[in-house]
Amino acid sequence: MDKNSIISKFKPDNDNLLNILHELQNTNPNNYLSTDDLKLVAKYLNTTYSSVYGVVKYYSMFSLKPRGKYVIRVCKSPLCHMIDGNGLIEHIKQNIGIGLGETTNDHVFSVEASECIGHCDEAPVIMINDKVYKGLDSEKIKEIFQGIKSNQ
Amino acid sequence: MIKEKRIALRNIGNYNPGSIDEYLKLGGYKNVERALKINPDEIIETIIKSNLRGRGGAGFPTGLKLKFTTQAFGDQKYVICNADEGEPGTFKDRIIMEMDPHLLIEGMIISAYSIGASKAFIYIRGEYTESIDSMKFALNQASEKGFVGDNIFNSGFSLDIEIKLGAGSYLCGEELALLESLEGKRGYPRIKPPFPAEKGLLGMPTLINNVETFAHIPYIIEKGADHYKSLGTEKSSGTKIFTISGDVKRPGYYETEMGVTLRQLIYEFAGGIKDNKKFYAAILGGAAGTFVDESVLDTSMGYETLKDKGAVLGSGAIMVMSEGRSVFDMTHSILKFFMHESCGKCVPCRIGTVQLLQIMDEAKNNNKDKKEILNKLLNESEYMAATSLCPLGQSPILPIKSIKQFFENQF
């Protein structure tokens, strides 16, 4: 679907801004918002590029840089941190070779820190795109990435 | 053995949340039909009499909020469901949205009718993808059946409900920042007053409640205020969902009458401490909450009773730490969280959250006297609490003060 038709699914009201940005980002294979996207949205909502840019920069789920096809969010909430320390980040690094804030060269994976994902009873947890993976250890992390890589 | 008493969770597991027909078989939307035949003022009186208080953390009387919103002048009134659940250790709203989305919709319809609002929003945090899908699906089904939309149950009352997404800002769970975010802006807090009941979304009177709060309303309509008030304790009526996590055998969500003790929650519901260890500490209410030690285990869980002990009920989160865990490390993690989530609008919070973490880091590296460190933290967080614009900057004092009270020698 082209970007104009994605945007025009929403009414041109400011209160739709975050929903529109989510939709644009989710339909981008590199999970990010480009300068052109922001300009397009600004025009549609009859506002300025700078105000849209300001909003995008405020919210941690939006990215202005191309990310991997799979965005991995590692829960760094106090509870997950207590249970796991930095274990998950280490295990992820062993499997895909990147740490927090990095993207693989082939743009398949990005790793980010996230605040509490709300699955504290099954800590530690991560999210990969829309899906939550719970009760993780090194073995489970390995399986998850083997699964993703074999589907590539 | 203590039992659960489920109100907000009463339908969980009893129907497939993807099927409105199954929900209707359980008597779904009957309370909406019932409520729409009652005078709106009478509904508000009932909620006031029930003594229901906000379940998001602040504990403000829900009935009064309804009344203030009704009394405020405005052409358009709004109802907003705050589903931006992000307080560490809290996952009750997610459970309701994923497993009983229709109960939330019912609570919103009744509330909107009582204050005369024709437009409602559910603001869900962006990371809660399953909740978003579940609520979207349920809302479509409810609209198809005519429970949401024009002339609901031929009452002449109409309500439109829309879902709006957050995008990774903890602060947007604060109601005024949420309003800014809903208006398509950066989630900066506003100065209050005016409160949302007076000037909320787009300057109009707005009722903002937490998911769990809305989920109590159909029950109160069904059973009456007196019955609801008979549950729980005198000052904290009804039930509360507690989400228990950390070093317990059966972490999870449990709903029971207020007045339950922390010991009952941890040892009976959650099965006690894991790996045959001893209880060391619990954090009540999330990051913006308080540490407690075993002297609080037998305190009745209610808004006032906990306050008297120097603790808070907050969102109902209980993070349990067994012996061997470090209060210092946990505090470090909590202060890091506040630093990351500070929006930067007001100076005391923007700078204060950074300084708090610096004090901790220094202590870690230099092995300084911990008591001195704690006093520094307390001093700093007191300034922040006195001068910050919104609850985020006012929160670090909660855990810090509680450490001073309960763990000064073990920090």
Side-chain angles (χ1 to χ4, degrees), chain B residues 132-302:
Chain B
I132 295 165
D133 290 345
S134 164
M135 288 312 306
K136 272 188 185 163
F137 196 80
L139 210 48
N140 277 338
Q141 286 192 321
S143 302
E144 275 168 24
K145 295 270 183 194
F147 301 139
V148 173
D150 290 336
N151 195 15
I152 302 165
F153 284 111
N154 284 319
S155 63
F157 172 70
S158 303
L159 177 69
D160 177 44
I161 304 180
E162 253 185 85
I163 291 170
K164 298 286 180 187
L165 309 187
S169 163
Y170 164 74
L171 184 54
C172 290
E174 193 277 325
E175 57 186 14
L176 292 154
L178 186 153
L179 290 173
E180 290 287 300
S181 178
L182 231 167
E183 290 176 8
K185 295 183 247 176
R186 293 165 77 96
Y188 281 160
R190 296 177 182 171
I191 293 169
K192 59 179 164 185
F195 290 90
E198 211 183 315
K199 277 190 175 18
L201 188 66
L202 303 168
M204 293 296 159
T206 305
L207 173 80
I208 308 179
N209 277 331
N210 173 256
V211 174
E212 188 186 355
T213 313
F214 279 121
H216 281 253
I217 292 189
Y219 183 87
I220 296 171
I221 296 299
E222 184 182 328
K223 307 273 183 180
D226 291 338
H227 167 77
Y228 188 84
K229 203 172 182 308
S230 73
L231 303 169
T233 66
E234 201 194 328
K235 285 188 175 156
S236 303
S237 304
T239 58
K240 178 82 192 80
I241 306 175
F242 295 95
T243 50
I244 310 178
S245 57
D247 299 326
V248 291
K249 286 183 189 150
R250 288 193 300 272
Y253 53 90
Y254 302 94
E255 184 177 13
T256 186
E257 286 184 51
M258 295 266 205
V260 63
T261 65
L262 186 57
R263 187 187 298 280
Q264 286 170 317
L265 286 167
I266 293 175
Y267 286 91
E268 296 187 31
F269 285 141
I273 307 296
K274 237 176 18 186
D275 304 329
N276 288 321
K277 285 191 177 170
K278 273 206 288 204
F279 172 86
Y280 174 52
I283 305 172
L284 307 183
T290 47
F291 286 84
V292 296
D293 68 3
E294 55 185 4
S295 71
V296 178
L297 279 176
D298 293 307
T299 306
S300 148
M301 300 285 279

Side-chain angles (χ1 to χ4, degrees), chain B residues 337-358:
Chain B
F337 166 74
F338 282 128
M339 187 189 79
H340 185 257
E341 293 302 323
S342 174
C343 78
K345 179 175 178 174
C346 73
V347 179
C349 178
R350 181 175 68 225
I351 297 180
T353 49
V354 175
Q355 286 185 346
L356 287 176
L357 199 64
Q358 276 172 352

